[in-house]
């Protein structure tokens, strides 16, 4: 991606501010953002070709060629910064969080891109199957079921309350020593408890999942030792090429743009959680439930005279769980990922998060009059409404959430006939007459 394309997108959405946001300022902001959030060390000698040629020798020596070829024409991508929509759509919030942008360094030109992609799939497979106690949530769609289950298990113990937290700067601030310890310990426990030695990774098809067992020549068997070796290389050799041509090496945190990054994040945080949970009494564990998706945490806990809720939360928030410099910050209390929820009188209601519920604020989908195909547009409408149905806790939430989503597509000029047809299909597929009520108002 071109360095200034992020600036172009910004100009399109906020023309009143874009006139003062020139390329020179963007370049300076990129430099400041990267050096502040993910400390880099400037490379003093050599060129990108020198690094690639050195890697080629190491690649062959470690026998990685049997998994994927080394791209001698590869190199390093130019980083850019990405603004979070929630931090820039509101003018007051934008002025306050102007410099809180994400540095992005895609690895599409990396000479070891295919090998790192395979290793990334393997580590993500491992991270979804970590043994022991932890807070890992593998899919955002699992949030409603988690809330319902937690309320059912805790409602008899006292008044239920929730806490939403973010691990601030999780990716750029993750200690590398913790990553190394965590992933080595996880693979050791997998060997002991599941008697597995590695992961089979499909070579081409994304529709085929990885496996603990060898599944044939369509994939490659990668041992834990090899995966750990690739992980060490990834941590120690994360480079970016700055706009002026200089190379920077990332010193701290999870490598930006690396396919291994999701598995590193999930696995390391899960390992820290496991170590923290080992220090707890069974009484403490009986009074709370918690899930984490990447760096977002939802905790459901009980306020009871027999349990010190405030002491527990203070220990957790002072990051007795996560290693320094990681620390927690408050999230949006009634929203977690894609779920908006309320717990009153120990009863939970929830629905799909939609920032356009009360007014049209954020553009998400193609306008019906755009150049996209009709089949694609209809599929988008149907999939969105199915998601609304899967996240609604009851008919009242479905009615409210469905009406808001249909209104959003009406704003995008989707014909009433298509919206009514979609409601009919959803009523048939879900056996819920609420969709027929929604159809009447289209």
């Amino acid at each position: 991606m071109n360095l200034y394309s992020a600036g172009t997108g910004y100009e399109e959405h906020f023309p009143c501010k874009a006139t003062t946001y020139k390329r020179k300022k963007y370049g300076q902001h990129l430099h400041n953002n990267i050096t502040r959030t993910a400390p880099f060390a400037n490379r003093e000698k050599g060129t990108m070709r020198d690094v690639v040629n050195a890697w080629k020798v190491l690649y062959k020596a470690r026998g990685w060629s049997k998994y994927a070829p080394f791209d001698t024409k590869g190199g390093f991508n130019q980083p850019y910064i990405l603004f979070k929509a929630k931090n820039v759509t509101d003018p007051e919030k934008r002025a306050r969080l102007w410099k809180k942008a994400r540095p992005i360094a895609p690895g599409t030109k990396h000479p070891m891109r295919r090998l790192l992609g395979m290793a990334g799939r393997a580590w993500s497979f491992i991270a979804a199957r970590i043994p022991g106690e932890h807070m890992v949530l593998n899919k955002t769609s699992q949030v409603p079921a988690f809330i319902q289950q937690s309320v059912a298990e805790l409602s008899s113990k006292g008044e239920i309350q929730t806490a939403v937290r973010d691990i601030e700067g999780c990716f750029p601030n993750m200690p590398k020593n913790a990553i190394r310890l965590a992933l080595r310990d996880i693979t050791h426990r997998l060997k002991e408890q599941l008697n597995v030695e590695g992961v089979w990774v499909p070579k081409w098809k994304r529709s085929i999942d990885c496996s603990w067992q060898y599944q044939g020549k369509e994939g490659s068997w990668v041992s834990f030792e090899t995966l750990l070796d690739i992980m060490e290389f990834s941590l120690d050799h994360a480079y970016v090429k700055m706009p002026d041509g200089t190379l920077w090496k990332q010193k701290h945190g999870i490598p930006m743009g690396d396919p291994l990054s999701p598995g590193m994040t999930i696995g390391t945080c899960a390992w820290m959680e496991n170590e923290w949970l080992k220090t707890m009494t069974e009484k403490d564990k009986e009074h709370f439930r918690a899930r984490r998706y990447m760096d977002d945490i939802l905790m459901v806990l009980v306020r009871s005279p027999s349990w010190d809720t405030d002491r527990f939360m203070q220990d957790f928030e002072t990051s007795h769980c996560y290693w320094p410099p990681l620390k927690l910050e408050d999230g949006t209390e009634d929203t977690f990922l894609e779920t908006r929820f309320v717990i009153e009188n120990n009863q939970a209601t929830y629905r799909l998060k939609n920032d356009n519920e009360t007014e049209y604020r954020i553009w998400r989908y193609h306008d019906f009059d755009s150049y996209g195909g009709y089949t694609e547009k209809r599929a988008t409408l149907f999939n969105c409404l199915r998601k609304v149905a899967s996240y609604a806790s009851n008919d009242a939430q479905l009615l409210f959430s469905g009406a808001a989503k249909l209104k959003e597509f009406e704003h995008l000029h989707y014909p009433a006939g298509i919206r009514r047809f979609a409601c009919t299909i959803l009523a048939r597929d879900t056996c819920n007459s609420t969709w027929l009520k929604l159809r009447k108002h289209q």
Side-chain angles (χ1 to χ4, degrees), residues 338-340 349-353 357 391-392 397 400-401:
E338 295 182 296
T339 305
R340 186 158 286 156
T349 57
Y350 41 83
R351 64 178 181 272
L352 181 67
K353 172 189 172 184
E357 278 182 350
Y391 274 71
Q397 295 297 315
F400 181 86
S401 184

Side-chain angles (χ1 to χ4, degrees), residues 1-260:
M1 180 176 181
N2 185 276
L3 172 64
Y4 303 115
S5 60
T8 302
Y10 182 85
E11 290 167 9
E12 290 173 355
H13 289 284
F14 306 104
C16 60
K17 293 283 186 179
T19 54
T20 59
Y21 201 68
K22 304 299 182 183
R23 291 189 172 191
K24 182 177 180 181
K25 185 175 180 182
Y26 182 87
Q28 183 62 41
H29 186 49
L30 171 69
H31 182 278
N32 294 340
N33 189 280
I34 287 182
T35 55
R36 182 181 68 254
T37 59
F40 279 74
N42 187 237
R43 178 174 165 79
E44 296 180 356
K45 297 180 180 180
T47 66
M48 182 174 68
R49 285 297 107 200
D50 295 328
V51 178
V52 172
N53 290 335
W55 283 2
K56 182 181 178 181
V57 175
L58 181 144
Y59 196 89
K60 183 178 180 180
R62 296 192 180 181
W64 291 343
S65 299
K66 66 179 180 180
Y67 302 109
F70 185 89
D71 183 8
T72 56
K73 296 181 180 180
F76 309 130
N77 282 78
Q78 189 169 284
Y80 62 96
I81 50 178
L82 182 67
F83 295 93
K84 283 187 177 181
K86 67 179 183 179
N87 290 343
V88 296
T89 49
D90 179 75
E92 293 184 4
K93 198 171 185 180
R94 180 166 70 245
R96 188 174 70 255
L97 300 176
W98 179 259
K99 294 183 179 180
K100 193 174 182 181
R102 290 181 175 180
I104 307 293
T108 54
K109 294 182 180 179
H110 201 288
M112 296 165 52
R113 181 174 62 88
R114 285 185 57 187
L115 176 71
L116 295 178
M118 291 182 64
R121 285 195 69 181
W123 279 116
S124 293
F125 176 80
I126 293 170
R129 294 158 178 81
I130 299 173
E133 293 181 299
H134 49 74
M135 303 177 189
V136 174
L137 183 75
N138 291 317
K139 298 179 180 179
T140 60
S141 59
Q142 296 172 344
V143 174
F146 165 70
I147 293 174
Q148 193 66 37
Q149 181 181 355
S150 300
V151 169
E153 293 174 354
L154 299 175
S155 58
S156 62
K157 299 182 183 297
E159 180 187 355
I160 293 179
Q161 63 183 54
T162 60
V164 180
R165 300 291 184 268
D166 297 331
I167 305 176
E168 185 180 7
C170 180
F171 284 84
N173 295 321
M174 181 71 73
K176 285 192 175 183
N177 287 339
I179 298 172
R180 301 179 204 275
L181 285 171
L183 299 190
R184 289 189 178 279
D185 185 60
I186 288 170
T187 53
H188 176 72
R189 283 190 281 142
L190 284 169
K191 287 181 181 180
E192 286 190 336
Q193 298 182 26
L194 301 183
N195 194 30
V196 293
E197 299 289 335
V199 179
W200 179 83
V201 186
K203 290 182 179 179
W204 307 110
K205 294 184 178 180
R206 303 293 297 182
S207 58
I208 302 177
D209 201 1
C210 299
S211 174
W212 296 126
Q213 307 299 327
Y214 180 77
Q215 299 295 321
K217 296 181 179 179
E218 296 80 9
S220 296
W221 174 259
V222 189
S223 68
F224 287 150
E225 287 72 20
T226 300
L227 289 173
L228 289 168
D229 198 22
I230 297 171
M231 176 270 294
E232 294 279 0
F233 176 89
S234 179
L235 284 176
D236 294 333
H237 299 86
Y239 289 91
V240 295
K241 184 178 180 181
M242 297 299 284
D244 61 1
T246 58
L247 302 182
W248 290 70
K249 180 180 179 181
Q250 186 173 342
K251 293 172 61 179
H252 304 303
I254 292 174
M256 294 192 302
D258 195 303
L260 278 70

Side-chain angles (χ1 to χ4, degrees), residues 87 105 174-175 208 231 306 346 350 353 369 416 420 423 441-442:
N87 290 343
M174 181 71 73
I208 302 177
M231 176 270 294
S306 62
N346 285 8
Y350 41 83
K353 172 189 172 184
D369 296 327
R420 285 195 294 266
C423 291
H441 298 282
Q442 301 307 307

